[in-house]
Structure formats: structure tokens, C-alpha cells
């Protein structure tokens, strides 16, 4: 089954590009940009990746991103991720980026977007991997900062398909960003939001109602509200679930307790994703393997995650048909 999973066509819908910064590249960029890291070695960095909740991860993740200064740095980061996609047979990916993590350090929005976008274009041509880009607002910052970020995105509407919401969920409910999301929707952006990761199921309700999201990032705490689960099933509202992330950040204590396979079997449109693979111990194949290890599945069930992700993706019907055919070909 390992070979089947490795070669299975995959579609990733929940991936923070800043979360793909491997310690090796962190050191390389620090050296190139003449910065001193607070770590003496690569193994010291990896040893620091012991998290007890979302915030303990975010603190180290924002610190790591400080080595990213120039357009070439954002290109190199993104290209390294896309090469990993090729190894895992990821055929389409929808990438999040956090502009505010960089603009607060004086890096221009254009530098960030242009570097990432150039790598995504190269991957489409050279690796046959298609993609979309989603800009996230940091929810621990205020509404005004989100409005400013949305204004900066106006020159890049050709590159950005949607807006999302990430960072600390507790204390920063969806309601805080209702007005920014309303404007983003009016401007033609699709909307998604992290909800029901550390926060309660009511955050999922709120994000659906107030932010008009078309898919829920994480959303695993929906299980605390049976009516909500029925609603997600009925309306085919997708969840972008990140199994290894959920274990690393103690959303579930062990993979055997994770609800993803149960939700898939109930008919919910759940997908498997890697979130911040450099920090959480694995890319797409690793996430599939970890879930399968704790909850053995048939090959049809494993492939269902790809079909769900194709359905949930932000691409044309024609492109979806093509990805479904590639997956079907692999199965037959
Ligand atoms: N949750 C919230 N914010 C994040 C995450 C996450 O899993 N990853 C990167 N930013
Ligand atoms: Zn995430």
C-alpha cells in the first residue's frame, strides 16, 4: 500500500508556503542574507519543533520566516516545495501565503507575491503541476491591517484566487473579519478560513455564515455538533484536514483518535493536506501514510480523498475533469 499511496495522484488544498521552510534552506537563506539565527545547527532547529499547542508553533514559525527577504528567497522556498510535490505526485496545489508576516518587517507585498508566483508558473510549465494562490489574513492582527493587505492585493488579482484567515484562532473569532471578507467577496475573491482547529464548532458556523466561506480549513471540531456535521454533508462543504499537524499541535492526542476517516465514511467532503510540512513531520504522502497506518483503508477509500480534493478545488470544471481522469487512469 505504501507504493500505491506514494504514486496516487494527490491534490493539496491546505498548505502554508512559509510552513515549507526546511531548516536546511533556513540556514542557507540566513547565510545569503547575512542574518544570524538563534540556532547553532540544523538539528537544534529540529529539536525546537516540539509544540504543545497552536501558539507555541506560531511563535517559532513566524521567527523562521524572518530569513525571507528578497523575491528570490520566496521563489526558492516555493520551488523547493514544488519539487517535493513532484515526489509525492501532487498534481494540483492551492497555496496559502501570509503577506503580513513579511510586510510588518518592511518587505513589500509585491516582492512576496512575485517570488511565489514565478515559481508556481515555472512548475506548471516544467513539472506539470497546476496551482492557485490564496492570501491569508493574520487573525491576531486587527481589522484595519487586513483592509490594508486587501488593498495591496488589488494589483495582483490575476495571481490570487481567494482570501483566507489563519494564525491564533482562540480569542480571534471569524466575526472580527466580517467586513473585510465582505469587501473581498465584492471584489471577486473566494473565501476560506481556518475554523474549528483549536476553536469550537461555533467558529465553523460563524465562518460559514459571516465570512461566506466555500471550504473550511481544519474544521475537525465539527464532530462536537452533530447537526453541523449533517449540514456539512448535505451541502457538500469541504474540510481541508491536516492530520500530522493536528497531532503535532495536540488537537488530537494520537492518530488513532483522529476523526478524518470516520468523517470520510459518513460522506463528508474531507481532504488530506500537509499544512506546514517542514514543521509537522511530513508532506502529502506522509500524511496519507500516517492516517492509513492508524485507520487502514481500501485503495478506493484512499483515492476518495483525491476525488474530494478535486471537487473542493478552485479550478474550472474542465480542469477538474482532467484531474479526475488522471486519478481514474491510475486506479485502472
Ligand atoms: N493554524 C493557524 N494558523 C496557521 C496554521 C494553522 O494550522 N499554519 C500556519 N498558520
Ligand atoms: Zn493551516
Amino acid at each position: 500500500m505504501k507504493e500505491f499511496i506514494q504514486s496516487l495522484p494527490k491534490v493539496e488544498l491546505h498548505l502554508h508556503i512559509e510552513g515549507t521552510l526546511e531548516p536546511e534552506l533556513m540556514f542557507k537563506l540566513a547565510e545569503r542574507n547575512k542574518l544570524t539565527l538563534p540556532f547553532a545547527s540544523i538539528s537544534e532547529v529540529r529539536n525546537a519543533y516540539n509544540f504543545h499547542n497552536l501558539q507555541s508553533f506560531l511563535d517559532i514559525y513566524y521567527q523562521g520566516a524572518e530569513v525571507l527577504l528578497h523575491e528570490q528567497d520566496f521563489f526558492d522556498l516555493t520551488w523547493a516545495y514544488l519539487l517535493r510535490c513532484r515526489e509525492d505526485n501532487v498534481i494540483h496545489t492551492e497555496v496559502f501565503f501570509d503577506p503580513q508576516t513579511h510586510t510588518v518587517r518592511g518587505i513589500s507585498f509585491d516582492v512576496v507575491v512575485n517570488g511565489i508566483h514565478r515559481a508556481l508558473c515555472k512548475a506548471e510549465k516544467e513539472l506539470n503541476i497546476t496551482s492557485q494562490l490564496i492570501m491569508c489574513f493574520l487573525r491576531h492582527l486587527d481589522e484595519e491591517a487586513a483592509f490594508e493587505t486587501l488593498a495591496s492585493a488589488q494589483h495582483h488579482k490575476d495571481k490570487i484566487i481567494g482570501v483566507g484567515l489563519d494564525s491564533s484562532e482562540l480569542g480571534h473569532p471569524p466575526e472580527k473579519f466580517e467586513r473585510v471578507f465582505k469587501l473581498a467577496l465584492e471584489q471577486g475573491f473566494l473565501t476560506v478560513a481556518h475554523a474549528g482547529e483549536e476553536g469550537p464548532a461555533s467558529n465553523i458556523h460563524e465562518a460559514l455564515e459571516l465570512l461566506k466561506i466555500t471550504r473550511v480549513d481544519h474544521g475537525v471540531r465539527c464532530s462536537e455538533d452533530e447537526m453541523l456535521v449533517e449540514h456539512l454533508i448535505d451541502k457538500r462543504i469541504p474540510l481541508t484536514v491536516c492530520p500530522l499537524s493536528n497531532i503535532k499541535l495536540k488537537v488530537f492526542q494520537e492518530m488513532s483518535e483522529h476523526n478524518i476517516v470516520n468523517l470520510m465514511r459518513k460522506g463528508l467532503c474531507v481532504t488530506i493536506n500537509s499544512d506546514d510540512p517542514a514543521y509537522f513531520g511530513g508532506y502529502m504522502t506522509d500524511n496519507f501514510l500516517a492516517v492509513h497506518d492508524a485507520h487502514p483503508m481500501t485503495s478506493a477509500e484512499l483515492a476518495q480523498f483525491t476525488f474530494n480534493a478535486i471537487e473542493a478545488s478552485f479550478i474550472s470544471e474542465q480542469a477538474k475533469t482532467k484531474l479526475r481522469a488522471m486519478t481514474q487512469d491510475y486506479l485502472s
Side-chain angles (χ1 to χ4, degrees):
M1 205 50 108
K2 185 167 189 315
E3 290 76 39
F4 174 84
I5 288 173
Q6 175 85 45
S7 306
L8 175 70
K10 300 174 194 72
V11 168
E12 174 138 77
L13 303 178
H14 185 154
L15 178 281
H16 302 264
I17 200 62
E18 294 89 351
T20 68
L21 179 62
E22 292 288 348
E24 290 78 3
L25 184 58
M26 193 189 289
F27 270 87
K28 188 175 143 185
L29 294 180
E31 193 180 348
R32 192 159 91 189
N33 292 331
K34 307 199 174 6
L35 300 167
T36 315
L37 288 175
F39 303 104
S41 66
I42 286 167
S43 60
E44 204 175 286
V45 180
R46 289 202 195 280
N47 287 339
Y49 292 176
N50 259 319
F51 313 116
H52 48 274
N53 59 17
L54 176 58
Q55 194 59 50
S56 62
F57 153 69
L58 290 170
D59 293 342
I60 209 160
Y61 160 83
Y62 295 133
Q63 185 183 52
E66 290 180 12
V67 298
L68 299 161
L69 299 185
H70 306 293
E71 187 182 313
Q72 189 62 36
D73 303 340
F74 289 93
F75 173 88
D76 290 347
L77 173 73
T78 309
W79 185 246
Y81 161 66
L82 291 159
L83 292 176
R84 281 300 279 109
C85 284
R86 179 174 61 175
E87 274 178 52
D88 285 7
N89 203 19
V90 173
I91 54 177
H92 175 73
T93 178
E94 302 196 348
V95 172
F96 291 133
F97 73 113
D98 287 339
Q100 291 160 294
T101 298
H102 314 296
T103 53
V104 295
R105 300 181 289 119
I107 316 286
S108 91
F109 188 101
D110 299 4
V111 159
V112 180
V113 178
N114 291 339
I116 298 169
H117 187 253
R118 187 154 57 84
L120 296 177
C121 291
K122 183 175 159 84
E124 182 151 2
K125 281 201 213 94
E126 297 180 14
L127 308 177
N128 209 17
I129 297 171
T130 56
S131 57
Q132 296 287 8
L133 194 52
I134 300 169
M135 166 178 101
C136 285
F137 301 117
L138 297 181
R139 66 203 307 161
H140 67 274
L141 300 180
D142 62 20
E143 184 194 33
E144 192 182 327
F147 272 118
E148 282 167 19
T149 305
L150 183 58
S152 304
Q154 299 308 308
H155 326 284
H156 298 283
K157 283 176 102 170
D158 55 328
K159 307 183 193 79
I160 301 171
I161 187 102
V163 301
L165 191 59
D166 65 4
S167 188
S168 325
E169 186 179 2
L170 296 174
H172 305 283
E175 183 195 2
K176 181 174 166 186
F177 295 95
E178 184 178 0
R179 294 190 296 187
V180 185
F181 270 62
K182 183 165 183 286
L183 180 58
L185 283 159
E186 285 165 8
Q187 293 173 346
F189 291 102
L190 296 171
T191 60
V192 296
H194 284 51
E197 178 189 18
E198 273 197 343
S202 59
N203 275 1
I204 302 174
H205 275 294
E206 231 185 70
L208 289 167
E209 286 294 310
L210 304 183
L211 310 184
K212 314 285 180 216
I213 57 171
T214 33
R215 46 186 207 228
V216 183
D217 296 316
H218 293 295
V220 289
R221 286 191 60 187
C222 68
S223 294
E224 292 165 17
D225 179 344
E226 203 41 55
M227 297 260 286
L228 173 61
V229 173
E230 290 307 317
H231 177 71
L232 297 171
I233 294 171
D234 282 355
K235 301 282 183 232
R236 299 275 319 145
I237 298 165
L239 303 189
T240 64
V241 177
C242 307
L244 285 173
S245 161
N246 292 156
I247 304 307
K248 275 279 188 181
L249 301 187
K250 317 273 190 230
V251 173
F252 296 92
Q253 295 312 309
E254 290 189 43
M255 199 60 88
S256 59
E257 293 168 18
H258 204 292
N259 58 0
I260 184 167
V261 174
N262 186 24
L263 293 173
M264 181 268 288
R265 289 182 176 146
K266 278 188 173 170
L268 213 141
C269 186
V270 277
T271 63
I272 294 181
N273 308 273
S274 70
D275 207 6
D276 301 284
Y279 293 87
F280 298 149
Y283 289 77
M284 284 291 271
T285 296
D286 305 306
N287 273 276
F288 271 77
L289 286 171
V291 174
H292 180 66
D293 217 36
H295 306 271
M297 287 174 273
T298 63
S299 46
E301 286 178 322
L302 288 160
Q304 186 63 45
F305 286 108
T306 294
F307 288 120
N308 286 351
I310 295 170
E311 177 184 342
S313 67
F314 293 155
I315 54 178
S316 67
E317 277 311 314
Q318 195 184 3
K320 288 184 183 183
T321 302
K322 192 171 151 207
L323 299 189
R324 284 191 186 105
M326 285 170 75
T327 311
Q328 207 61 59
D329 275 355
Y330 177 72
L331 297 175
S332 53

